[in-house]
Amino acid sequence: MIIVLAIAAPAVASDAAVRQLGVSGALFSLSASGPVPDTPNTSDAADAADTSVRSVTAQMRHAPRKLAQAGAPVHAHPVGPATPPLPHVSTGGTPVNVDGMAAAAGASGVSGAAGEQQYVQVVGAAMAVYGKHDGALQSGPVNLHALFSGAGADACTAPGGGAASVLYDQLEKRWLLSWLAGAPGRHVQCIAVSTSADAGGSYYRYAINMVGAGGAALQVDDARIALWPDAYYLTFSLFDNAQGGYRGPRVCGIDRAALLRGRDAALHCQDPGAAFGPAVAASLEGETAPPKGTPAPILSLDFTEDGTGARLLLWRFAFASASMGEPLAIAVAPFQSACADVGAAPCIGQPRPGLTQFAPGDRLMPRAVYRHDAGDLGRVGNVGDDAGRGALLLAHAVQQRDGGTGLRWYELRAPLRAVHVYQQGTHAPDAAHGAQGSIGIDRAGNIALGYGVAGPDTPPGVRYTGRQRSDPPGRMQSEEVVVNGSGVQLGAARQLAATGALTLDPADGCTFWYTQQYLPLTGHAAWRTRIASFKFRNCM
């Protein structure tokens, strides 16, 4: 049986109704699936869809907006290359370092997450399950539409789709899969929630029709999912159609408790408008949660028509009241978004004969990570004052003065109340172009940053860096190579996806898992993905 939840007025959802839910579209609750098929299906899996994101810089309505101002930055250390460089990143290498699924033409979204015993990777609209001990493939790859077999949701059962992401809910030991499916004249966001800690088991299935006011169909891209205690949050970029018409970000919260039980779920959404760039919701890291009912942080970059900026924007989304307050402006070091002018020359180089590519510099990279117990690792504020708890980690690609790209990163403290910049830095250690970054924090307070890299003398590969909690603020240690590329992308210049995922192992709270794409061969569709694990020596 399919239960259709109706839609009410735009922007504000009802409080707790199961039928009047908001602007986002209908949420369908479907019956549970059977186990994930054991038989690999690669014919329409990872290479089925081009999920490259669209730049929104030129389409945004850059007009005055009502913004509240955060307090003065605290410990806002200067950004720039580390001089002298710090020692080599103290992780002892990558115990697991294996190839994942193919990534076709480099436009397929790549995501991954570690559970108690398994690692799940999704590429395009396909998933595969690996063992954490040695990275051996346990099942798949299989197209995600197989999870919706017999559900009656036409878009989610059709082969193809893309822009998939995976999340492991460490609080309840469940897997969450989300991907974008296409139906005639509309986009549908498909969601699958595992019924157990086994990624290869059965799933509760849901779907969201992406529509605007009056039921008009919308196009979306760059869908991301995040964990918060009372809701799972989805963020999208909205467009009128495939040709453009940027409408701004959409932020949706879905009742987490209901999804975990396979029940009908309340869906509350907000559309801030086209004056704002793509947004991302903070995802809880670790097992210490903020107080019940705490609003979830929602973040975005703030920049002008030419891609320059010096602020982050932060909203607080209260799921119980279906409300999202006015954005708070947080002053940061000035930046120039990478590849801000997509109509001009591309900015991510490759060795010849490869063509230069574009990077998604107009948005924060996946994921925005919030750790509530970070204040215990280096408290700011008064002991026992919850306003001093919590660290929020963010990263995005920036243009360097020499024409290359680097990765700007931030650690915000107390983002649930008196938010301030604790430290910030730009990682650009050499002439190679760093982009597609993903950041995380472990139980000891160490920060890791994984990213793709390419340049005129550097085939597209994968690297990571990090810092121990005792390192000088604003600085990253010397980088480590996950895998060097040995080929280049041929064909027309294209926008690369905002891809890759750095996640923390819930079993020990110390081991990071990173997945990203790279090029082992030269060709038009030769991209592969890599899966690697590492941990800092001081994390026990």
Side-chain angles (χ1 to χ4, degrees):
M1 179 176 66
I2 299 177
I3 301 173
V4 181
L5 306 181
I7 303 308
V12 180
S14 63
D15 290 341
V18 287
R19 291 192 177 278
Q20 300 297 328
L21 298 181
V23 65
S24 70
L27 180 67
F28 301 92
S29 174
L30 309 171
S31 59
S33 74
V36 174
D38 293 327
T39 305
N41 182 348
T42 58
S43 62
D44 59 356
D47 59 351
D50 180 342
T51 58
S52 57
V53 297
R54 286 173 274 186
S55 174
V56 304
T57 304
Q59 299 187 55
M60 287 172 59
R61 298 174 192 150
H62 297 277
R65 297 151 300 167
K66 182 179 179 181
L67 301 174
Q69 299 295 320
V74 178
H75 300 303
H77 302 277
V79 298
T83 305
L86 293 179
H88 195 74
V89 62
S90 54
T91 58
T94 51
V96 174
N97 193 337
V98 298
D99 260 357
M101 289 184 281
S108 297
V110 179
S111 179
E116 304 301 318
Q117 303 292 333
Q118 301 161 311
Y119 182 85
V120 173
Q121 184 192 49
V122 295
V123 180
M127 68 175 290
V129 181
Y130 300 83
K132 283 171 42 179
H133 175 67
D134 56 3
L137 180 66
Q138 292 185 347
S139 64
V142 62
N143 198 292
L144 291 167
H145 72 79
L147 295 179
F148 274 70
S149 177
D154 57 339
C156 294
T157 58
S165 58
V166 58
L167 171 75
Y168 184 74
D169 184 338
Q170 69 274 11
L171 302 181
E172 292 291 337
K173 296 179 173 52
R174 301 285 193 89
W175 296 93
L176 203 73
L177 296 161
S178 174
W179 71 99
L180 184 65
R186 61 190 173 95
H187 275 176
V188 176
Q189 193 69 25
C190 311
I191 301 170
V193 183
S194 70
T195 61
S196 71
D198 180 12
S202 59
Y203 285 77
Y204 299 125
R205 301 169 293 184
Y206 298 83
I208 304 173
N209 280 330
M210 302 305 298
V211 299
L218 296 176
Q219 298 275 315
V220 303
D221 73 10
D222 200 22
R224 305 183 189 183
I225 195 160
L227 164 66
W228 203 247
D230 56 357
Y232 294 116
Y233 281 89
L234 284 163
T235 54
F236 313 88
S237 294
L238 300 180
F239 297 86
D240 286 329
N241 50 56
Q243 287 69 47
Y246 179 64
R247 285 174 167 253
R250 171 168 291 174
V251 183
C252 294
I254 310 176
D255 187 337
R256 175 171 167 264
L259 258 66
L260 289 171
R261 292 168 175 79
R263 298 175 180 171
D264 302 333
L267 176 70
H268 301 321
C269 297
Q270 296 283 342
D271 290 353
F276 300 97
V280 61
S283 194
L284 179 67
E285 194 74 276
E287 296 186 355
T288 302
K292 183 178 180 180
T294 300
I298 311 296
L299 298 111
S300 179
L301 296 176
D302 189 35
F303 49 83
T304 59
E305 293 93 331
D306 62 358
T308 59
R311 298 187 300 190
L312 302 172
L313 299 179
L314 184 148
W315 294 263
R316 295 184 174 102
F317 195 121
F319 180 75
S321 61
S323 62
M324 191 166 77
E326 297 292 338
L328 181 69
I330 304 169
V332 297
F335 61 83
Q336 168 70 61
S337 298
C339 300
D341 187 357
V342 177
C347 67
I348 303 294
Q350 295 185 88
R352 293 181 181 276
L355 295 179
T356 309
Q357 308 290 300
F358 296 106
D362 58 0
R363 65 202 65 203
L364 294 164
M365 294 286 99
R367 310 159 45 239
V369 176
Y370 174 75
R371 190 169 190 102
H372 192 63
D373 59 2
D376 297 329
L377 308 173
R379 185 178 298 281
V380 294
N382 298 322
V383 174
D385 179 5
D386 194 66
R389 295 172 64 90
L392 182 59
L393 282 299
L394 312 164
H396 63 104
V398 295
Q399 202 77 33
Q400 297 291 94
R401 292 178 181 176
D402 63 2
T405 61
L407 290 163
R408 172 68 64 82
W409 60 275
Y410 310 96
E411 180 182 357
L412 308 182
R413 286 294 180 96
L416 306 184
R417 296 187 184 177
V419 62
H420 54 267
V421 179
Y422 181 74
Q423 61 175 327
Q424 58 186 314
T426 299
H427 182 68
D430 54 33
H433 303 272
Q436 301 171 303
S438 187
I439 197 166
I441 182 171
D442 67 18
R443 63 184 295 181
N446 305 309
I447 296 172
L449 178 66
Y451 48 95
V453 65
D457 300 314
T458 307
V462 183
R463 299 179 186 177
Y464 72 88
T465 185
R467 53 171 284 107
Q468 295 176 277
R469 64 176 185 267
S470 58
D471 285 339
R475 304 274 297 277
M476 289 286 180
Q477 298 175 348
S478 296
E479 64 188 2
E480 176 75 65
V481 173
V482 173
V483 61
N484 286 316
S486 51
V488 296
Q489 171 73 31
L490 300 179
R494 64 188 303 151
Q495 176 91 350
L496 297 175
T499 189
L502 181 76
T503 57
L504 191 65
D505 195 319
D508 63 8
C510 291
T511 301
F512 290 102
W513 290 82
Y514 184 53
T515 185
Q516 184 56 276
Q517 59 188 4
Y518 77 106
L519 272 172
L521 301 169
T522 293
H524 291 84
W527 292 85
R528 296 286 307 184
T529 62
R530 200 75 167 185
I531 301 168
S533 68
F534 60 90
K535 64 180 289 187
F536 286 89
R537 293 188 177 96
N538 68 341
C539 190
M540 305 295 182

